Amino acid sequence: MGAVNVQIIEGNPHLRSLLGWHLQQAGHHVHQSADLHQAREVFLVRQPNLVILDSELPDGDGVEFCRWLRQQQQAMILMLSARTTEPDIVEGLRAGADDYLTKPFGMQEFLARVEALTRRTRLASPPAYLDYGDLKIDLVHRRVRFKGELIELTPQEFSLLYVLAQTGGAPLSRQDLLQRAWPDAIDNPRTVDTHVLSLRKKVELDPRQPNLIQTVRNVGYRLNLEILNASLPPQNGQTNGSQRKAAARVGERMVMSDRRI
């Protein structure tokens, strides 16, 4: 099977090491996390294609973390659990797991399920970057180019911009941005304003009159994709009006392509 980027989130160090060894032997790139606090940081930095997630972790509920992973819309999830009742399995699948494997399990079955999920990952892999004309977001290396220039962003700024881009121009409240960009890392929604301000200084022509990251009154913020899409090159002699409509459809398709089955 083809190699993929795998994150193992498992509280049992012996099982975690064993699974990691077998996955590495199968040719995969493996990152291991022992708890949820560590798992979030690793996930955001490494951007895995597949997450192996234990349902019960030392510092929290793996099922709840699964819901957060599903919001990120960029990885397949195989949940491992000692909970074997039908309601437990249903809860895990409804939380966003793509497959559910009860403990104890055989290594051959585990690898077969991983292989099945990696096939789906290759068929529905997210784009390597998002292209909105003047704004290009590299999802692999977590880099951003604006008007052809590389913009140095902090991890928090990159996550904020990425979440705004994923919505396709729809506004998000401060609370939504907080939960999607930095869950459990920041507990004050008003901190979002500080990061928006610093991000505007790097991507706005005039940060005092921003037109890229717009404030939506009584809601929060949105990314103004219209001005970005307008910078895409014309296709087949389209007029400016039809060009903007086509560019908007391109943006929608790219956002949809980053979703999971």
Side-chain angles (χ1 to χ4, degrees):
M1 57 183 146
V4 297
N5 203 15
V6 183
Q7 180 182 3
I8 303 173
I9 308 171
E10 169 60 56
N12 184 321
H14 301 293
L15 179 58
R16 186 173 66 247
S17 297
L18 181 63
L19 297 179
W21 185 85
H22 279 280
L23 289 172
Q24 287 175 335
Q25 290 298 109
H28 298 303
H29 308 291
V30 179
H31 314 284
Q32 299 185 21
S33 307
D35 53 45
L36 293 181
H37 178 74
Q38 185 185 70
R40 286 187 178 89
E41 182 178 354
V42 171
F43 180 86
L44 292 172
V45 172
R46 298 298 183 180
Q47 302 286 302
N49 308 107
L50 173 64
V51 176
I52 312 297
L53 173 64
D54 186 16
S55 66
E56 298 178 84
L57 291 158
D59 57 344
D61 185 2
V63 175
E64 188 59 36
F65 186 68
C66 182
R67 294 188 176 94
W68 177 79
L69 286 173
R70 183 51 60 214
Q71 289 180 346
Q72 310 312 303
Q73 301 176 343
Q74 62 190 50
M76 292 288 180
I77 304 168
L78 170 58
M79 183 171 289
L80 309 179
S81 180
R83 305 172 186 174
T84 61
T85 68
E86 183 177 1
D88 288 327
I89 296 173
V90 169
E91 181 185 20
L93 294 172
R94 285 181 174 172
D98 296 284
D99 198 0
Y100 191 104
L101 183 58
T102 59
K103 298 177 180 179
F105 52 82
M107 192 55 61
Q108 292 304 311
E109 180 183 4
F110 168 76
L111 292 174
R113 289 177 184 257
V114 168
E115 183 176 0
L117 288 174
T118 56
R119 284 198 299 268
R120 292 171 60 184
T121 298
R122 289 192 292 272
L123 290 173
S125 58
Y129 65 92
L130 301 181
D131 189 344
Y132 296 108
D134 282 340
L135 178 67
K136 294 176 173 57
I137 304 176
D138 184 337
L139 303 178
V140 176
H141 301 99
R142 293 177 67 83
R143 295 173 182 169
V144 172
R145 287 189 178 275
F146 185 59
K147 295 185 179 295
E149 295 186 8
L150 183 65
I151 306 298
E152 295 292 337
L153 299 182
T154 66
Q156 293 83 1
E157 291 167 350
F158 181 90
S159 295
L160 174 62
L161 183 62
Y162 175 51
V163 169
L164 286 169
Q166 279 187 308
T167 67
L172 287 173
S173 68
R174 291 176 177 83
Q175 188 63 44
D176 284 338
L177 285 168
L178 184 71
Q179 290 298 321
R180 297 191 189 191
W182 323 290
D184 295 341
I186 302 173
D187 58 8
N188 183 0
R190 284 293 172 181
T191 308
V192 173
D193 298 335
T194 302
H195 288 289
V196 167
L197 181 61
S198 66
L199 185 57
R200 280 172 169 168
K201 290 179 180 179
K202 297 180 179 182
V203 299
E204 296 281 3
L205 294 178
D206 184 356
R208 294 169 299 178
Q209 296 182 328
N211 61 4
L212 178 58
I213 302 175
Q214 297 179 324
T215 301
V216 181
R217 188 175 180 182
N218 297 325
V219 179
Y221 299 99
R222 70 179 290 268
L223 190 65
N224 184 4
L225 294 182
E226 290 83 358
I227 63 170
L228 293 172
N229 288 330
S231 67
L232 290 170
Q235 297 180 9
N236 300 326
Q238 292 173 313
T239 64
N240 288 339
S242 60
Q243 175 190 342
R244 284 192 293 270
K245 292 178 182 179
R249 289 194 294 272
V250 169
E252 291 173 2
R253 286 198 298 272
M254 295 197 73
V255 172
M256 288 297 293
S257 70
D258 200 38
R259 295 176 181 171
R260 282 292 170 267
I261 299 172

